[in-house]
Every structure is written in structure tokens, then in C-alpha cells.
Amino acid sequence: GPMMAWLVTEIRGLIPLAFQGRLADMTAINELFIEIYNRFENRIPERDEILQIIYWYVSDYSDQTVTGRTREKLDPALSFYKDIIMKADLTDLSYLYQYGEYISANEKSIATYLNNLDQSVIDDMAATFVNGYVRGFELYKIDLSAKKNVQLRANIGFERVLRSTIRQFEALGLSVIVCRDAIHSINKTAGKLGLVSCSANPQYDYDHRMDKGLYLDKALCERIIGVTKSAYEQYADLAEDYAGPAWMDVFGETPFEPAAKEENIRLSDKQQKLAVRMAGQLTEIVNQYIDASAISFSIIAWPLPSIGDRFEAIMDETIKVNNLDNDLFRSIQQKMIDAIDGAEYMHITGMNGNRTDLKVALWQLQDPAKETVFENCCADVNIPVGEIFTSPVLAGTNGTLHVSSVYLNGLNYRNLSLRFEDGCVAEADCSNYEDREENQKYLRQNLLQNHETLPMGEFAIGTNTTAYAMARKFDITQLMPILIMEKTGPHFAIGDTCYSHSEDHKVYNTDGKEIVARENEKSRLRDTDPEQAYFNVHTDITIPYDEISAITACFADGRQVDIIREGKFCLEGTEALNEPLNI
């Protein structure tokens, strides 16, 4: 049964392959089907017979599938999807079906809505996105002119904005790469990547998230690592030209809580360790050919019509949130940083049912006149504006992080509780299922992504109270993306730091001070033991303002400075942030 279900998902890849005319890939999948079909013609085969066919299909064709996927993510000459965006008659919605993708009511509705906007509005939406991308290079003092290609990730239906975005990137001398999500099982990752549409069935996607468990073993891992290495060697010039992704995210789909099904393919304990190790080695290969300190990114989010009857009002408010005054926030946030720099740790406590009681240890400055612990983050790579963040010191970071409900990577976690010991998750729990063992599996597979534990890679204080007020005004908190929600309260990322793989590249705030908290005790192992240094995970968990009792900077001399008290900003000079909270 699981093998047949896996086969169906692989065969579904024939649809987009047919639209693209990729006959070699289609032939491989059809050959797989025929070989399995033949085994059933005269008898019921043994399970291992079918499993071996699947295994060798994945292994033998990885030269084709893995190499092809590598090129898709790097080569602007593969222009099937870009050509539709740039050349189709966008007033005739039949263009949506040229992709060969599932088209939901969301794709049709958002395309219709955008078709009715003035071109100036469309261009402004695209400019907010593109300008954020450019500012990221300027902020981190990276030479964008040395790069040639940018990868565009977005939802189908936003073609008018995407067309303007592509033109604005091309005006900067950048060619745009547009690919779809991975087709073959071996290439699929936890989240969709590329030009995508809303899911036809989120439970189906969830059920098949660990399909590699059907065939993954040590030999295959080594095979995939070797093929990936060869692929990046083959496309080394394209990798050198790659400037980084520009990601246009969406929000407003119906919240999804997956049902746990015993029939699903799962990774065994041994396979989980293999998968984690392979992911780490694949990342190291990518970083050999794409220097993380020489690229940047930008990400922005827009609502979908499925968010409800007030979609247009929510879109208007989102445009406002995405274009808040950078200079105003930078000034207010600098006051916070000046007050916090030099503190020994931050103490965060919850209220209104929130059980958070957590101490986050901070870097100690060697030269306070030239150094700072927190980055002053405006609407640069992460749009919208509004946070200061740092990489915590793991030793001394202890306590409990709790949030009553949070959506992470499209999945809901109820009563999520993480207990940290010296900066690493020592215990995790939630109340999604009645059976505690199911909750533990859910957390291990999805939140920890098959790691035994994860460190706290980031601590941040979000300052975008306007976005918070928007979520409350329209009662859409549970639908908001983490990109925006992370700016609406303190947030904590488990996994790698924000400076992952670029810790040695010096970065500065606009006041000229170097941000020195770019690593922790884990990432410091990057030169001596890289497999222990990185986790290839970075998941932000936000506590809303109305669940925060206090955020307090605590100094070695006993002095304490409150940043937030009873859900409101209380540091002198930050009072303006409270105005949107009066709702």
C-alpha cells in the first residue's frame, strides 16, 4: 500500500513534465510504472521485489533528477515559467493553466484582483520587494554588481506583480530564474520552493513529507551527495553568478492541523540520522560553490482572497505595513539597542496564561564604542520593518518558552512548550493530540526536523505594532505568516543563527558599530567539525505582546532595564510604538 501510494505521487509528476515537454524525465517515470506493472501480470510479487525497483529507479536516475533540479535553481535560460509570466495575456485567466499546475480559487481570484489595480500600484508593490533586496546588499556591504542572476519564488496568480518585479530586476542588470517546486521524490524538501500554487490537499502533502523513508539508506545518501557535488561542479559558473532568492510569500489559506496516520511512510530512527547528516553535507556542498557571505535575499508576504470577505481591506493594510517608515523604526530601535548593549542576559516572562520564564544570555562587548550585540533590522531583506535581533550565548540560556498557539511552516502547534538548558532544547511538548507519544513524534518530525535537539539561534524583539494591530483588527492572527508575526512580539529561533555560514563576514549597524554576536558555541565549530556546527533549520517562534509580562535587560551590576512591561513598550523614546496597540 505505501509503495503504491508513493508510486502515485511520483506519477503525478508527469503532468508538469508534459507541459514542459521534458520527455526524458517522463520516460523514466513511465518505465518505472511499466516495470512494476509487469511484476503483477502473472502473480502477486513479493514486497521486496517492488521495493528494489523503486530503490534502483531513484538511485540510477539521480544523475538525471538531482542534476536537473540543481540546474533548475540556477539557470535563467530555463525560462518555461518566466515566459508565461512575461508573455501571456494576463487579462485572459486561461493563462493560469499553461503552467500545468493545480489552480485553485485563490490563484484565479488574486489574478482577477490584481488585474483591476492601476499599474502604478502594481509597480509600487514590486518596488517595495526589489528595493528591499537591493538594501540587503547595501546593508551587508556586498557587491551586487558582481552577480548576474536572482531566483524568484512566488505564488501563481501574482503574475502582474511578478512581471513588474522581473522588469525591475532586469533594469538592475539581473536575470531572473523561475522554477517550480521539485517534481521527483528524491528532490522534495520540507517546504515548497519555486513558483507554486495553493495545495489541493494539505493532508496529502503532509502524508507524503517523509516518502524518502521508503528507500533511504547509507549507500543512496552517498550516491545523492556524490551526484550533487558533480552537479554543482558542472554548473559552477551559474553558482558563482547567483545573487540569492527573492521570495514573495502568501498568507490566508485555511489553517491546517494534520491528522496522524499510521499508514504513512516514516523515517526510521536510523534514517532520521542519515537524513540529517545528508542534509548537512548537501548544504556544505552548496556553500562550496555559493559563498553565503556574497549573496543576500528578500522576502515579502501578501494576503490571498481565501483570507475572507475583507480581503481587499486586508490587502490595503498589508501594503501599508510593508511600507512603514524605515527611518522612524531605525531611530526607535536604536534607543532599545543602546539600552540593552552591555547587559548580561535578557529575562522574558509571560502573562495571561503564558508560562514563559526564560533567561537569554548575551554576548559581552570588548569595545562598546565600536561594537554592538543587536542588529537594527528594518525593511531590508525581511519585509516588513520592525525588529532587533541577536545570536544568544548558549551557556546560561535557560528556562521555558511557551506559546498558546502558533503556526510554523503551515502547521499549528497548540500549547507549545520548549525547555532550554544551556541554550538547547532539553524538552518539547504540545497538546495537538491526546496521545503524548503522537505529540512527541509531531514535534520531532516537524519542529525539530528529526534532530535530537536544536539550539536557540536567535533572540529578537519585534517592534511592528502596526502589523500586530492589523492581525487583531481583522481577527487573522492564526492566518498571518511568521515573516510578519515575528515582528509582532519577542521571537526565538531554534536552529542556526541568522548569520549561518557567513559568520566571518563583518556586518555593521547604520551607527557604524560592528554587530559582533554572529555566532554561538555550535557555529563556532564550523572549521573543526562542520557537521556539528549547523542544523539547516531556522524556525521562529513568536510570543504576542498581550502574553508578555516583561522583557528586561539584566546587567552584572544588578541594574535592570525594562523594554516591555505588561505588553507595552516602556523604555523612554519607544512610546510611539504603543499607539497601534490601543485597539
Side-chain angles (χ1 to χ4, degrees), residues 58 61-73 184 186-187 223-229 231-232 235 282:
V58 173
Y61 280 105
S62 60
D63 282 326
Q64 183 172 311
T65 56
V66 174
T67 302
R69 182 60 178 166
T70 303
R71 183 187 174 194
E72 286 174 3
K73 295 186 289 186
H184 300 94
I186 191 60
N187 290 324
R223 164 82 169 148
I224 299 307
I225 291 166
V227 171
T228 302
K229 175 75 173 177
Y232 272 93
Y235 299 115
L282 293 177

Side-chain angles (χ1 to χ4, degrees), residues 503-516:
E503 296 89 348
D504 298 319
H505 179 74
K506 292 186 177 182
V507 291
Y508 301 83
N509 279 333
T510 53
D511 63 356
K513 290 185 177 182
E514 180 187 352
I515 304 158
V516 293

Side-chain angles (χ1 to χ4, degrees), residues 438-453:
E438 281 300 328
N439 288 322
Q440 292 299 304
K441 289 179 182 177
Y442 183 67
L443 292 166
R444 173 69 181 270
Q445 295 166 2
N446 300 300
L447 186 65
L448 299 180
Q449 295 192 26
N450 295 315
H451 293 277
E452 294 289 340
T453 183

